[in-house]
Amino acid sequence: MWQTASYDPTTNLVFYGTGDAFPGFDPEFRPGDNLFTASTIALDADTGKIVWYFQETPNEHWDFDTPSPKMLYEVSINGEARKVVANFSRNGFYYTLDRANGQFLRADQYQEKVTWTKGIDQKTGKPVDYDPTRDVQAYAGVGAMRGKRGEESCPWWNGRADLLSPTLDAKRKIAYVAGAEGCIAGVNIKSPMDENKDYIGLPRCCTENGRVTARGTLWALDLSTGKIVAKERLPTFNESGMLGTDGDLLFTGHTNGKFAAYDAETLKEAWSFSLGTPITAPPMSYSVNGKQYIAVVAGGAIGLRGAALYQPSAIVAVFGL
């Protein structure tokens, strides 16, 4: 569990999303559904016991864990008001569940291209090509199976919404998230696990194919219909998360050092300022003596894409509205 939890005082439940199964990219090493990986889990806040869980991708092949923070809100589904918990999953779908009991309500595709499955069964929430009689799932045939040459897989594990904070506009009934969108292809390497490596399976970069196609993206998703109502392409991956305001602006930072505000209706850029060093922290807002400020932490970091171009630093930039 590597994201901030969400808490519902009405049900006294704490909600988390869990990581993918280990070893990554090798479903044959770990046959079965691999509970409770790639799942939303609701825990009793007093006892820590699991009250319910919902698994998005059983026997997961592609690093499709579900770390995007869980959003709690009320929405009308099929004419009925429901209290839900929802999230953007790395597998390309936006899941909406009943907050109290985990009942699956709907899954909506937000990534433009999804090839790992032919879709989600809107009754069960399982992939339509999930076979409960199989120990190793084949899904749509582009999984990381041993001895099989890699095929294009969409979305890419790095082309997704991640632990980066989404933001919810209760007035518009729209959820916003920043990340990346795209695909990858590669070659599955031989198993079983090599004790000298921390993971095995599908090579991460696949530069021999030149098939890493992900681009930075902002999404706006209508909570009632599950439709993407606005999308904005970005030149670099977003690793900052988003902050929404009641002034119809969304703020986020970028790995090229740009801190920007976007129009909540169109997602078009309304303002920007270059901090000259990568931004991978979420923006925040606060007020002092009635004046509102927007602040963000920025600084180059080891492991960040393009970090070799920057001297690691740490600054807090503050802007007044």
Side-chain angles (χ1 to χ4, degrees), residues 14 22 27 30 43 52 64 81 141 159 171 173 177 210 216 220 234 251 276 280 300 318:
V14 178
F22 183 88
R30 41 178 173 78
L43 306 172
W52 59 258
F64 288 161
K171 179 176 60 178
K173 297 294 184 183
V177 73
L234 305 169
F251 291 88
T280 58
V318 182

Side-chain angles (χ1 to χ4, degrees), residues 159-238:
R160 71 310 180 230
D162 208 322
L163 77 164
L164 320 168
S165 55
T167 189
L168 183 73
D169 189 324
K171 179 176 60 178
R172 284 188 170 82
K173 297 294 184 183
I174 291 177
Y176 301 90
V177 73
E181 184 171 59
C183 306
I184 194 172
V187 180
N188 188 244
I189 63 177
K190 187 178 180 180
S191 299
M193 185 164 40
D194 183 341
E195 63 181 11
N196 298 317
K197 296 180 181 179
D198 62 354
Y199 73 95
I200 60 171
L202 192 70
R204 290 178 176 235
C205 58
C206 314
T207 53
E208 73 278 6
N209 290 344
R211 297 283 290 281
V212 175
T213 59
R215 292 187 57 188
T217 308
L218 305 178
W219 291 272
L221 181 140
D222 187 296
L223 301 177
S224 299
T225 66
K227 302 296 184 184
I228 296 299
V229 293
K231 186 167 73 171
E232 182 71 3
R233 296 285 195 181
L234 305 169
T236 59
F237 286 41
N238 185 286

Side-chain angles (χ1 to χ4, degrees), residues 60-94:
E60 184 275 325
H61 299 204
W62 305 269
D63 198 6
F64 288 161
D65 48 356
T66 181
S68 185
K70 310 301 176 186
M71 293 175 287
L72 309 178
Y73 56 88
E74 295 187 31
V75 67
S76 177
I77 296 181
N78 297 325
E80 181 182 358
R82 303 295 295 261
K83 294 182 177 181
V84 304
V85 53
N87 68 278
F88 293 91
S89 176
R90 290 175 94 175
N91 69 12
F93 294 91
Y94 182 85

Side-chain angles (χ1 to χ4, degrees), residues 27-77:
E28 293 176 80
F29 186 90
R30 41 178 173 78
D33 285 357
N34 307 147
L35 296 181
F36 295 90
T37 62
S39 300
T40 295
I41 293 184
L43 306 172
D44 184 288
D46 293 325
T47 67
K49 300 294 185 181
I50 294 178
V51 176
W52 59 258
Y53 77 94
F54 174 81
Q55 188 174 43
E56 297 170 359
T57 315
N59 192 229
E60 184 275 325
H61 299 204
W62 305 269
D63 198 6
F64 288 161
D65 48 356
T66 181
S68 185
K70 310 301 176 186
M71 293 175 287
L72 309 178
Y73 56 88
E74 295 187 31
V75 67
S76 177
I77 296 181

